[in-house]
Amino acid sequence: MSKKNTRNALDTSLSYAVIGLDLAKADCAVAAVPCADDELGLIDRMDYESLFEQAEKLGPTLFAMEPCCGYSQISLRLQNMGHEVKVISGHAVKNWIATHKSNQKTDLNDATALAKLALYDHDLQPIRVKNVEECRIASVQAIRIQLRTQATKSLVCFKSLCQCWGIVIRRGSLNTKKMAEAVAAVEKLLGVEVASSLMILRDAYKFTMKQINALDKLLDALVEANEQARTMKTVLGIGTQTAARLAVTTGDIKRFPMPRSYVAYFGLAPRNIITGHSGTPSPSKRGALKPVSSRGQGKVSRRGDRVARSFIIQGAGLRCYMLYCKDMLPECQLRRWLHEQIKRGKPYGKIIVSLAAKLLRIVWALLTYGEKFDSHKAGVPRSVLAAMEKPLKHDAAAESAA
């Protein structure tokens, strides 16, 4: 990049078409495109206080940035000043740099890519900015995930060390009292140093689990205070953790015009692989072709939020499937659908993923139409429900006329 375009601050007397920000921990790189011409103004390093001071002096301007750590708070602050914010995926920035900058990835090139993409690529789908309530839910859940990881590692380390000394702890046992008793039983063999160290590790696990329980209560309160998350939690198989993550990643449900787009947003819709004649199946022996909707479809895309997808598959999908296997799932369309899938010999993994996708469609319907979850309606097409309601309305009208 030419050094003659590098500046120390933004010229607040100018109006800018777009300003690209490559975010870092304490500062950012800036690439500003004036409305008068396309000559870039570059700032190698600008701290955030200086950025906000100069942004207050500018008229309404489009800012572009990647979804780095803290982007939501920076975006909200800029929006409160009257500016527009466009958050662009890092994949798009990486591809632009590879195409236009010979893959020379620098902070200024990143900021330039953001400015150019925001200004000229109108088909690019921006990333949503989280509001303050969603940031709170995401922060509490992130802390819980971190503590859960620590607790798991502490428990695995404790059990593996006990196994090295011949102490047998039953698989799946989480009773800290029995752990202490098992260590005390062979304290002479272990020695004071090893026994004390094992007890420290056991106490660390116990204390971490208490902290996780406290976070669960805080997260449950945040979910109950969020109307969208509260509605999601009513769906069969969706608990606090899944509802919290879905609420944070979903935002305004009107962004998704149909249930398939909502499922695809979480990476549970099949990828379309069609090019030329590839993906078009040849006629079968009977001369029949597969339905058009299933031609050229591969595995699920696995795009979007990985944590949300993991929660909806492991939590909701597995829970509903286990309820069915234990004959505890109420008689409903969902139960009949599961029975049909198993009867057809569909693999277990595909059933779980399909079930998770179906639950996401149910969530979309509840949020879109403002209805409450009903296990008897869940999974039934709306056209069928509408056809069932017409005779009921006709009978009610006839009774009132009589």
Side-chain angles (χ1 to χ4, degrees):
M1 187 64 63
S2 177
K3 292 184 178 180
K4 68 179 182 179
N5 293 332
T6 305
R7 305 170 185 175
N8 295 323
L10 290 170
D11 187 353
T12 55
S13 63
L14 299 176
S15 59
Y16 294 94
V18 63
I19 297 177
L21 303 177
D22 182 49
L23 306 180
K25 293 181 180 178
D27 49 29
C28 61
V30 181
V33 181
C35 293
D37 51 55
D38 290 339
E39 184 179 358
L40 279 170
L42 303 175
I43 302 175
D44 192 21
R45 281 285 176 265
M46 177 185 287
D47 61 84
Y48 289 118
E49 288 304 320
S50 300
L51 173 66
F52 294 135
E53 287 176 6
Q54 296 177 41
E56 285 181 336
K57 301 175 183 178
L58 294 173
T61 307
L62 172 62
F63 284 83
M65 64 187 73
E66 290 180 90
C68 301
C69 184
Y71 81 96
S72 289
Q73 298 305 315
I74 296 172
S75 300
L76 291 173
R77 190 166 175 179
L78 290 172
Q79 287 174 348
N80 291 335
M81 297 178 186
H83 301 298
E84 182 185 356
V85 177
K86 193 171 186 179
V87 183
I88 298 174
S89 168
H91 293 289
V93 174
K94 184 178 179 180
N95 292 335
W96 191 93
I97 290 175
T99 304
H100 297 83
K101 297 295 181 181
S102 300
N103 215 17
Q104 299 299 314
K105 196 175 188 309
T106 64
D107 293 340
L108 287 178
N109 282 349
D110 282 355
T112 302
L114 288 164
K116 295 292 186 179
L117 287 170
L119 190 60
Y120 298 115
D121 195 342
H122 302 293
D123 294 328
L124 191 64
Q125 190 71 20
I127 296 174
R128 186 181 64 88
V129 177
K130 298 181 179 66
N131 58 37
V132 176
E133 185 180 7
E134 291 169 347
C135 288
R136 289 171 182 166
I137 295 175
S139 298
V140 174
Q141 193 165 47
I143 296 170
R144 187 195 183 278
I145 292 173
Q146 177 64 25
L147 291 181
R148 181 69 257 186
T149 303
Q150 294 178 9
T152 302
K153 289 183 177 180
S154 297
L155 182 62
V156 171
C157 182
F158 180 88
K159 288 187 175 182
S160 62
L161 289 172
C162 288
Q163 187 177 6
C164 291
W165 287 93
I167 304 173
V168 179
I169 297 179
R170 186 172 55 85
R171 183 180 179 182
S173 176
L174 302 176
N175 192 325
T176 54
K177 186 177 179 180
K178 290 185 178 180
M179 294 179 191
E181 293 174 353
V183 172
V186 291
E187 186 173 357
K188 290 182 179 180
L189 174 64
L190 297 174
V192 177
E193 296 81 6
V194 176
S196 299
S197 300
L198 285 173
M199 292 306 297
I200 290 174
L201 191 58
R202 171 257 189 190
D203 292 340
Y205 167 76
K206 186 177 180 180
F207 178 71
T208 306
M209 291 305 298
K210 287 183 179 179
Q211 291 178 317
I212 291 173
N213 293 334
L215 285 173
D216 285 339
K217 294 179 181 179
L218 295 175
L219 187 61
D220 193 57
L222 288 172
V223 168
E224 290 299 323
N226 187 291
E227 183 179 358
Q228 199 173 49
R230 193 167 59 248
T231 302
M232 293 175 177
K233 195 177 175 181
T234 61
V235 178
L236 182 67
I238 295 183
T240 301
Q241 299 297 324
T242 306
R245 194 70 183 190
L246 289 179
V248 168
T249 51
T250 298
D252 187 5
I253 195 63
K254 294 179 181 178
R255 299 191 299 142
F256 307 100
M258 58 186 67
R260 180 181 173 82
S261 59
Y262 187 60
V263 174
Y265 184 72
F266 292 99
L268 290 177
R271 292 177 58 230
N272 289 325
I273 311 172
I274 301 175
T275 172
H277 296 288
S278 175
T280 305
S282 57
S284 62
K285 294 180 179 179
R286 298 180 181 178
L289 286 173
K290 293 182 180 179
V292 176
S293 59
S294 65
R295 296 180 190 177
Q297 289 189 344
K299 298 180 180 180
V300 292
S301 64
R302 297 184 182 179
R303 302 300 295 269
D305 191 90
R306 289 181 295 176
V307 177
R309 185 169 59 254
S310 175
F311 281 165
I312 195 68
I313 290 176
Q314 296 184 22
L318 288 175
R319 184 177 176 185
C320 289
Y321 186 82
M322 291 305 296
L323 287 174
Y324 171 82
C325 293
K326 295 179 180 179
D327 201 23
M328 297 173 63
L329 193 65
E331 183 63 34
C332 58
Q333 178 65 21
L334 204 59
R335 180 187 177 95
R336 290 189 288 272
W337 178 85
L338 271 172
H339 179 73
E340 182 64 25
Q341 297 296 311
I342 296 172
K343 185 179 178 181
R344 287 165 51 188
K346 194 172 185 179
Y348 168 77
K350 289 187 176 182
I351 293 177
I352 297 299
V353 173
S354 300
L355 180 57
K358 183 173 284 290
L359 292 175
L360 283 177
R361 291 185 177 92
I362 293 171
V363 169
W364 180 89
L366 294 181
L367 297 178
T368 301
Y369 301 110
E371 298 181 1
K372 295 182 179 180
F373 176 74
D374 185 354
S375 60
H376 298 288
K377 289 184 178 180
V380 181
R382 292 190 63 82
S383 58
V384 176
L385 292 175
M388 292 170 61
E389 290 175 358
K390 285 182 180 179
L392 295 176
K393 291 181 180 179
H394 178 75
D395 293 343
E399 290 180 1
S400 62

